[in-house]
Amino acid sequence: DAGVTQSPTHLIKTRGQQVTLRCSPKSGHDTVSWYQQALGQGPQFIFQYYEEEERQRGNFPDRFSGHQFPNYSSELNVNALLLGDSALYLCASSDTGATGELFFGEGSRLTVL
Amino acid sequence: KQEVTQIPAALSVPEGENLVLNCSFTDSAIYNLQWFRQDPGKGLTSLLLIQSSQREQTSGRLNASLDKSSGRSTLYIAASQPGDSATYLCAVKTPGGSARQLTFGSGTQLTVLP
């Protein structure tokens, strides 16, 4: 049973560029959440997708946007990259009807120069 | 606003020692609490999930307890091994408008010395 998979694992961008990160949820899961983790900090909630709609959003600017596809996979897009966007971006999936336990992927390490 | 604190930020113990990691949260009206392990540069591995109606959960050498009234949870690791070295994070899910997100602590970095 494949767990949560994310791509790419590492990427380097320059300020002002745009980036797209991808996530496939654990088999049987219908809900995808995205988190940003700065070095030495706990993850911060960006937003959550269910039934192809954004259900909730954390304190992140509109430069951060996302999408969920009919197969439950998801993308995170960040526009006009800033140096402060450098972080590990984590995708988590869960089954809305179950225990609420979240399962995380290995993350995408974004470096903005 | 829910806030989660983990103390200490770092802990170093000799192999074989039993240890306790602490997690505290400001809003006791939680939906559940989850403990995670994170190896350097890696994602989060779920260790234990405690629902609000439960007092503890056990998995192998790990035991997590929950005391909602005092806003505390502990993760007990028995007979620690060098392979247990990692950062341990706790996270709470709070009912209501923010029911869909986890609030994390900053983690405790554990080093088990051989």
Side-chain angles (χ1 to χ4, degrees):
Chain A
D1 175 26
V4 179
T5 58
Q6 292 187 242
S7 64
T9 55
H10 296 83
L11 67 167
I12 300 173
K13 294 286 187 178
T14 57
R15 283 179 295 175
Q17 286 190 312
Q18 178 265 344
V19 67
T20 297
L21 308 178
R22 296 175 176 82
C23 172
S24 293
K26 184 178 170 64
S27 178
H29 286 183
D30 56 7
T31 302
V32 173
S33 303
W34 287 92
Y35 288 78
Q36 180 196 65
Q37 186 179 25
L39 203 60
Q41 301 296 317
Q44 298 290 318
F45 176 75
I46 303 175
F47 42 54
Q48 184 182 85
Y49 278 84
Y50 172 69
E51 292 188 337
E52 302 179 48
E53 291 191 358
E54 182 184 294
R55 285 208 304 183
Q56 188 168 16
R57 189 180 186 89
N59 292 325
F60 281 81
D62 291 344
R63 298 186 298 108
F64 289 77
S65 63
H67 188 77
Q68 186 179 35
F69 299 94
N71 66 353
Y72 307 122
S73 67
S74 177
E75 289 182 349
L76 165 64
N77 301 291
V78 187
N79 295 321
L81 285 168
L82 304 174
L83 296 179
D85 294 332
S86 296
L88 181 67
Y89 288 85
L90 296 161
C91 172
S93 73
S94 57
D95 179 354
T96 300
T99 63
E101 185 173 9
L102 263 66
F103 294 86
F104 282 79
E106 289 296 310
S108 294
R109 171 70 65 185
L110 171 65
T111 302
V112 182
L113 301 177
Chain B
K1 176 187 173 186
Q2 179 74 270
E3 294 184 0
V4 180
T5 303
Q6 292 185 249
I7 296 174
L11 179 64
S12 183
V13 300
E15 182 177 4
E17 191 163 297
N18 302 325
L19 61 100
V20 174
L21 305 181
N22 297 296
C23 172
S24 61
F25 44 94
T26 55
D27 185 350
S28 62
I30 65 170
Y31 182 70
N32 62 39
L33 184 146
Q34 201 166 350
W35 281 94
F36 295 91
R37 168 187 173 136
Q38 186 173 33
D39 293 297
K42 300 295 185 180
L44 277 61
T45 300
S46 179
L47 298 174
L48 290 164
L49 171 72
I50 309 178
Q51 301 293 351
S52 62
S53 59
Q54 298 174 321
R55 294 299 298 270
E56 66 178 335
Q57 283 286 341
T58 298
S59 176
R61 293 183 294 108
L62 305 180
N63 175 276
S65 68
L66 174 63
D67 183 345
K68 284 196 307 178
S69 62
S70 66
R72 294 174 186 269
S73 175
T74 62
L75 180 66
Y76 174 84
I77 302 177
S80 59
Q81 304 170 358
D84 295 330
S85 298
T87 296
Y88 291 80
L89 294 150
C90 73
V92 298
K93 183 180 289 187
T94 308
S98 59
R100 300 177 177 91
Q101 68 182 78
L102 288 179
T103 303
F104 282 85
S106 295
T108 294
Q109 185 175 359
L110 173 65
T111 302
V112 181
L113 303 171

